[in-house]
Amino acid sequence: MSLALHSIYMNKGFCKTNDRKMKIVFLLLLLNKVSPFQFPKIKFVGISSKDALDDVPKRHIEMGEGEHLRQSLEKHLRSQESLSGDPPHSSLRWEPYLQGSCDVANVLFQEIVQIARARYHCNSDSKNLDTQITSPRVVSCPSMSRPTDLESIATVLRSDKCKMLLGLEDAAVELYPASPSPYLRLTFSTVEKTQKTSVEGNETGVEGNESLHTVSCEAAIHATKNWVDNFLGKYNLCPYTSSVSKAAVGLTTVGVPVGHVHVVAGSTNITDDPKKRRDYYILRVAELVNEFWSETVTLLKSPESDWATSLVVFPEFDNDFDSFVDVCDNVVQPIIAATSSTDYIGRAWFHPKYDADTVGHTSVVPGHAVPHKMVQQFIDKVYGSLNLRGNKMTLSELAIANNKVRMTPHATINILRRSQLTAAAEYEKGLGEKKPKPNSIYVRNALKLNEILKGDAKK
């Protein structure tokens, strides 16, 4: 239709007509039928529009525009606070070059532990100091490889359990393009609120001086190294660790060098104050989690020939197994999952009072020992029954032996390299008929420790 009208209008005879009204009518019809110009749609192969958006802040950093980006973010934050009615008092931590989510988690818990330390040592009578301590902290990492991990981390931190354990009020995230640079904003409970919680009800699980441990970090490290050499290595409970100086043993054929066990210890460095027990509990949790992420980053950035694996020791949880498990299961493990850190590390919880029955799990749970009844099933598959070599082992004896494997001198988190766990599986796969039977390590350790414990009882 439009093509026909165009032909009629362009006809010289028509153009010479004196009927101006008819010409206008035909022109309007023509314009109504012609479609407006549209840019052609371009399809990018191998990259999504979302991925392209996520990379925009990073490209600004790569082009040397970091300072301008930071200023834009600060302006945006002031605008957001103005809209919410809050005074502009957020503290910004600008980390333009951090890419890994493990590094970002490390920085976040550095901020959390700083607040926890200040909260404990503050004078609760000073309202201005309280405002300063609990002011929001903003962490922005424009070069993050997976900025959406910030949303996963915030979801964990917003849980009721994390709020209570870490003294948090909220965790909020904005990503590009809503914000010039991706960030996570932490807000904290007031000192008055946490102290009120402590007075109204002892939710902390801290019972008087029993929660504190007077062992120094140096003594705790020495005791832990001695445990590795004279228990774990001596009885070959871990087939790839023979001593503190020899870990990842036997994996050279799959490209893994022998390295050391890195042992570090953390502490709050304070004495008990009954009036600040709630704040002490928050500080203790924050220090442990901060120590874990700090050591995770250290391990991953160190050559395997230096540190094959790490043990993070925290004696102030020695008399509080329930709280230690609470922190590991509800803070450490969920953040590991939120940052996809299982691609790089494995983890295991150890404690002088470790008890799988107290944990109450009936299936494999990240970080924990395999449940006793599962080990019993493994024994049944390997040997047919618990009656072995004429020495009968009861389920209660099995439970004691199974727990013993996880009993360290002090509360401890073992950080393992995922690459070494994968290499160990490849090594065993290559053994052919000599390959250990599935789950035989749990069977062997339970049997060995049962014999050792019986021998000790006779002495």
Side-chain angles (χ1 to χ4, degrees), residues 174-280:
E174 263 197 317
L175 304 179
Y176 184 87
S179 167
S181 177
Y183 71 83
L184 192 151
R185 184 176 188 265
L186 297 167
T187 52
F188 300 86
S189 301
T190 62
V191 175
E192 181 182 3
K193 183 176 180 180
T194 57
Q195 289 177 346
K196 183 179 180 181
T197 302
S198 181
V199 172
E200 289 181 349
N202 187 12
E203 299 178 15
T204 65
V206 180
E207 298 294 342
N209 291 322
E210 291 183 358
S211 66
L212 295 178
H213 206 287
T214 57
V215 175
S216 67
C217 288
E218 293 76 12
I221 290 173
H222 177 76
T224 301
K225 288 182 175 180
N226 185 64
W227 175 83
V228 173
D229 288 340
N230 298 313
F231 180 75
L232 189 72
K234 178 180 179 180
Y235 297 117
N236 196 29
L237 299 177
C238 175
Y240 302 108
T241 300
S242 58
S243 67
V244 170
S245 60
K246 292 183 179 180
V249 175
L251 297 176
T252 53
T253 57
V254 286
V256 178
V258 175
H260 292 69
V261 178
H262 194 212
V263 184
V264 296
S267 170
T268 60
N269 295 313
I270 63 172
T271 55
D272 185 34
D273 182 349
K275 295 180 180 179
K276 292 189 173 184
R277 190 148 295 152
R278 170 64 178 158
D279 291 330
Y280 163 72

Side-chain angles (χ1 to χ4, degrees), residues 125-362:
D125 295 331
S126 173
K127 293 184 179 180
N128 291 333
L129 186 59
D130 186 31
T131 300
Q132 180 182 357
I133 289 172
T134 58
S135 63
R137 298 295 179 99
V138 175
V139 176
S140 181
C141 306
S143 297
M144 275 189 77
S145 300
R146 295 191 306 267
T148 52
D149 281 357
L150 288 177
E151 294 178 323
S152 300
I153 295 170
T155 298
V156 175
L157 296 178
R158 282 196 299 266
S159 68
D160 291 340
K161 180 65 74 171
C162 273
K163 285 182 178 180
M164 184 190 76
L165 292 175
L166 295 167
L168 295 173
E169 190 70 29
D170 195 16
V173 170
E174 263 197 317
L175 304 179
Y176 184 87
S179 167
S181 177
Y183 71 83
L184 192 151
R185 184 176 188 265
L186 297 167
T187 52
F188 300 86
S189 301
T190 62
V191 175
E192 181 182 3
K193 183 176 180 180
T194 57
Q195 289 177 346
K196 183 179 180 181
T197 302
S198 181
V199 172
E200 289 181 349
N202 187 12
E203 299 178 15
T204 65
V206 180
E207 298 294 342
N209 291 322
E210 291 183 358
S211 66
L212 295 178
H213 206 287
T214 57
V215 175
S216 67
C217 288
E218 293 76 12
I221 290 173
H222 177 76
T224 301
K225 288 182 175 180
N226 185 64
W227 175 83
V228 173
D229 288 340
N230 298 313
F231 180 75
L232 189 72
K234 178 180 179 180
Y235 297 117
N236 196 29
L237 299 177
C238 175
Y240 302 108
T241 300
S242 58
S243 67
V244 170
S245 60
K246 292 183 179 180
V249 175
L251 297 176
T252 53
T253 57
V254 286
V256 178
V258 175
H260 292 69
V261 178
H262 194 212
V263 184
V264 296
S267 170
T268 60
N269 295 313
I270 63 172
T271 55
D272 185 34
D273 182 349
K275 295 180 180 179
K276 292 189 173 184
R277 190 148 295 152
R278 170 64 178 158
D279 291 330
Y280 163 72
Y281 181 74
I282 291 173
L283 176 59
R284 185 176 64 156
V285 173
E287 292 282 6
L288 171 60
V289 182
N290 179 58
E291 197 72 46
F292 169 82
W293 283 107
S294 175
E295 182 57 21
T296 295
V297 171
T298 297
L299 180 67
L300 293 178
K301 292 185 177 180
S302 301
E304 289 182 278
S305 56
D306 287 350
W307 307 121
T309 187
S310 293
L311 294 173
V312 178
V313 183
F314 211 94
E316 286 173 59
F317 279 94
D318 286 359
N319 296 321
D320 198 353
F321 176 62
D322 288 345
S323 293
F324 177 70
V325 169
D326 205 16
V327 177
C328 291
D329 289 351
N330 294 294
V331 183
V332 177
Q333 173 56 31
I335 297 294
I336 288 175
T339 55
S340 299
S341 295
T342 49
D343 294 343
Y344 311 104
I345 63 169
R347 63 278 176 234
W349 327 137
F350 292 79
H351 195 275
K353 297 182 180 180
Y354 192 91
D355 183 6
D357 288 334
T358 298
V359 177
H361 57 309
T362 57

